[in-house]
């Protein structure tokens, strides 16, 4: 539903600006090849890279007004850890009182962006092999 | 003929208020530049975002909703190499893969970006001034850029600049913030005047303890009253010969994202001390207390703690000199080579305020270490070049590990060092993968 809205929005902007039809095309063609980075069963919102579930609109409406969604997607924390980030943003970064949305947002973050046990040092991963002559 | 494209960023860059109007039909309150005068604009923007904008009345005018900021046009940073990796596009945080840091003097287009806020929306370099004030200044002064350049002798030093959080991605439990791997470091040649010459021109009272900087970056919330970041260094570091108020990298103006037109540079200390878009330096009679000097920011537990420990503020100490560290910049990780072939490896090593004394490599997961050839630094606080030639005993998977030792005998650990709440100071040895076939 969101992707449809988004494309509708882009089309609207294109009509206004007569400027970005090719980007509109790219947007559609990329949808099939989105990489899932969180877990194989999650689907990812193309515009932000966030995991799609029913709480996503609330997360976007509150979190990405000031900072990029990449600040969420590159981090992992427990519910308490995410809560402490929200408190820090409220104390120092002008984040508003989230009201009833706070629990919804914390549930979403704790579910989709929880810490993994990685030990003291991970294996080297995602190696792109190439021939060195 | 190519159709000229104008994306959302270009529109906002030209005139954010007009972009608001054209894209969303949004008109904000003239005084506060916040909120929406026409309710329909909230709906238009909300539809694009896929949800209602909560507290729309607080939303600053001229702000691109960040969820759109990377969907509509490809992300390009003017003046930066396209091989750099964007960790975060608002605020902009960009690191350089190790193999792109191969040159002894880091080119400006390969220097990482760590922004805490947004760069200044408009810059008038002719009107740019630097003021010196604070409790411990004898006579507050203000200099234009031209005065700084003409009244004081200028110096050029190669200085290593590394983000305090470089390597954060390896901490467990994970530390909050931008998940830097190894590339938030660089060592260009900086040109400017000595900070001490300027401070002494204004006069330093005997009770001076610290300097604190102020820059013209803009807070993410859009609130013009909020200071994004204001850190500094103790007087002893401020008065070192290599501590610069700089306007150039490698003979050219600073890139906008690296602080154009003026910044501080303190080689070997967390890069957050080297304030960008600099317009004021306060000489303080106490440890500077600007945003990101306190709490967990750029501080680590004074005594070591178990991973995951909650540490009270009073037990956190400000990071000063960065620890010894090195990078393998050639070859790029993932090299496949034939058995019997010799492999030349090389890179850089640095050690905060100190020099690097020894450099070693291992191809057997740290069981044995072989020495590398190590060059002297171009000047104090510049990184040092190292190289070695190695052979592999048989076919298979190898990791080449690099380990530097500083002038006080401290070496890089092979695993991630002491956990701290914000994930600073990871100087674990750099590793690359090699396959011998």
């Amino acid at each position: 539903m969101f992707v449809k809205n988004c494309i509708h929005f882009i089309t609207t902007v294109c009509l206004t600006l007569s400027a970005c039809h090719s980007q509109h095309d790219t947007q559609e063609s990329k949808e099939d090849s989105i990489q899932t980075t969180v877990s194989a069963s999650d689907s990812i919102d193309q515009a932000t890279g966030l995991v799609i579930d029913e709480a996503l609109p609330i997360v976007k409406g509150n979190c990405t007004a000031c900072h990029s969604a990449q600040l969420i997607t590159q981090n992992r924390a427990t519910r308490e850890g995410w809560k402490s980030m929200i408190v820090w943003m409220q104390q120092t970064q002008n984040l508003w009182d989230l009201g009833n949305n706070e629990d919804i947002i914390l549930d979403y973050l704790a579910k989709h962006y929880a810490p993994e046990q990685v030990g003291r040092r991970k294996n080297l991963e995602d190696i792109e092999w190439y021939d060195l002559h | 003929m190519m159709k000229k494209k104008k994306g959302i960023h270009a529109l906002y860059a030209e005139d954010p208020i007009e972009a608001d109007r054209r894209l969303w039909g949004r008109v904000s309150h003239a005084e506060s530049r916040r909120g929406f005068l026409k309710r329909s604009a909230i709906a238009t923007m909300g539809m694009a975002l896929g949800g209602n904008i909560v507290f729309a009345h607080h939303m600053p005018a001229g702000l691109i909703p960040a969820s759109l900021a990377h969907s509509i046009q490809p992300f390009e940073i003017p003046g930066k190499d396209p091989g750099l990796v964007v960790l975060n596009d608002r605020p902009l945080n960009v690191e350089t893969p190790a193999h792109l840091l191969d040159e002894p003097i880091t080119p400006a287009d390969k220097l990482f970006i760590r922004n805490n806020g947004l760069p200044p929306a408009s810059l008038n370099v002719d009107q740019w001034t630097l003021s010196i004030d604070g409790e411990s200044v004898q006579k507050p002064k203000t200099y234009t850029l031209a005065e700084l350049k003409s009244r004081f002798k200028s110096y050029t030093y190669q200085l290593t600049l590394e983000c305090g959080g470089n390597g954060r991605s390896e901490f467990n439990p994970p530390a909050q913030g931008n998940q830097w791997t190894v590339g938030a470091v660089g060592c260009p040649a900086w040109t400017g005047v000595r900070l001490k010459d300027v401070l002494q021109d204004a006069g330093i009272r005997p009770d001076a303890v610290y300097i604190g900087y102020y820059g013209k970056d803009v807070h993410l919330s859009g609130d013009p009253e909020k200071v994004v970041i204001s850190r500094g260094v103790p007087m002893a570091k401020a008065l070192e010969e290599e501590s610069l108020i700089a306007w150039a990298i490698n003979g050219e103006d600073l890139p906008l994202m690296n602080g154009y037109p003026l910044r501080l540079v303190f080689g070997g200390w967390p890069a957050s001390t080297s304030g960008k878009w600099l317009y004021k330096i306060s000489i303080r009679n106490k440890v500077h207390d600007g945003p990101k000097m306190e709490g967990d920011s750029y501080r680590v537990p004074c005594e070591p703690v178990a991973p995951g420990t909650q540490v009270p503020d009073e037990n956190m100490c400000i990071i000063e000199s960065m620890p010894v560290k090195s990078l393998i910049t050639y070859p790029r990780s993932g090299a496949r080579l034939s058995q019997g072939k010799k492999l030349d490896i090389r890179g850089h090593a640095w050690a905060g305020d100190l020099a690097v004394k020894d450099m070693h490599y291992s191809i057997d997961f740290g069981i044995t270490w072989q020495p590398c050839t190590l060059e002297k630094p171009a000047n104090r606080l510049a990184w040092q070049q190292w190289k070695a030639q190695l052979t592999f005993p048989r076919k298979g998977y190898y990791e080449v590990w690099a380990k530097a030792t500083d002038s006080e005998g401290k070496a890089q650990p092979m695993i991630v060092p002491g956990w701290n709440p914000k994930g600073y100071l990871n100087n674990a040895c750099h590793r690359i993968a090699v396959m011998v076939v």
Side-chain angles (χ1 to χ4, degrees), chain B residues 260-331:
Chain B
Y260 176 80
L262 200 65
R263 70 172 298 164
L264 288 165
V265 186
F266 297 108
W269 282 43
S272 57
T273 60
S274 297
K276 302 194 282 187
W277 306 292
L278 177 72
Y279 75 91
K280 188 171 80 173
I281 297 171
S282 297
I283 309 177
R284 306 297 312 271
N285 63 1
K286 58 178 181 179
V287 174
H288 184 54
D289 51 2
K292 305 216 172 180
M293 282 301 295
E294 295 179 324
D296 287 349
S297 293
Y298 304 100
R299 304 209 295 175
V300 293
C302 305
E303 304 297 336
V305 298
T309 304
Q310 287 228 343
V311 186
D313 280 359
E314 61 268 26
N315 294 349
M316 297 286 281
C317 288
I318 298 170
I319 300 169
E320 298 196 333
S321 174
M322 295 287 286
V324 62
K325 200 161 173 181
S326 60
L327 275 181
I328 304 165
T329 59
Y330 182 88

Side-chain angles (χ1 to χ4, degrees), chain B residues 19-36:
Chain B
D20 267 353
R21 194 189 61 75
R22 284 177 66 184
L23 288 175
W24 323 107
R26 175 182 181 188
V27 181
S28 51
H29 296 272
E31 282 282 288
S32 68
R33 290 196 155 191
R34 283 171 185 269
F36 292 71

Side-chain angles (χ1 to χ4, degrees), chain A residues 120-121, chain B residues 170-171 323-326 365-366 369 401-406 409-419 424-431:
Chain A
R120 200 59 186 248
R121 212 154 189 204
Chain B
E170 289 196 291
F171 281 102
V324 62
K325 200 161 173 181
S326 60
F365 305 97
W369 292 91
W401 294 8
K403 181 177 76 170
T405 306
D406 72 22
K410 290 178 184 154
Q412 293 180 255
M414 288 171 262
I415 58 168
V416 178
W419 185 91
Y424 296 115
L425 307 181
N426 175 10
N427 65 335
C429 65
H430 185 217
R431 308 171 291 167

Side-chain angles (χ1 to χ4, degrees), chain A residues 82-97:
Chain A
W82 287 113
K83 165 86 182 178
S84 73
M85 286 181 244
I86 287 173
V87 169
W88 178 80
M89 286 187 279
Q90 286 169 333
Q91 286 172 347
T92 68
Q93 306 294 308
N94 284 6
L95 175 62
W96 43 80
D97 181 348

Side-chain angles (χ1 to χ4, degrees), chain B residues 12 17 22-23 29 57 77 91 136 235 246 297 320 387 434:
Chain B
Y12 271 87
I17 306 299
R22 284 177 66 184
L23 288 175
H29 296 272
H57 54 287
I77 307 154
S136 299
M235 291 312 296
S297 293
E320 298 196 333
K387 63 181 178 182
V434 173

Side-chain angles (χ1 to χ4, degrees), chain B residues 334-356:
Chain B
R336 203 189 286 114
L337 73 158
S338 313
Q339 193 183 10
K341 189 173 156 34
K342 287 183 163 53
L343 178 66
D344 289 306
I345 61 171
R346 62 174 180 261
H348 318 291
W350 60 98
D353 278 340
L354 304 175
V356 177

Side-chain angles (χ1 to χ4, degrees), chain B residues 16-68:
Chain B
I17 306 299
E18 175 63 11
D20 267 353
R21 194 189 61 75
R22 284 177 66 184
L23 288 175
W24 323 107
R26 175 182 181 188
V27 181
S28 51
H29 296 272
E31 282 282 288
S32 68
R33 290 196 155 191
R34 283 171 185 269
F36 292 71
L37 289 183
K38 279 195 269 179
R39 301 298 299 177
S40 61
I42 304 181
T44 312
M45 197 186 269
M47 189 178 66
L49 293 171
N52 292 329
I53 302 170
V54 185
F55 296 100
H57 54 287
H58 287 323
M59 187 174 179
L63 178 71
I64 308 178
S67 63
L68 303 177

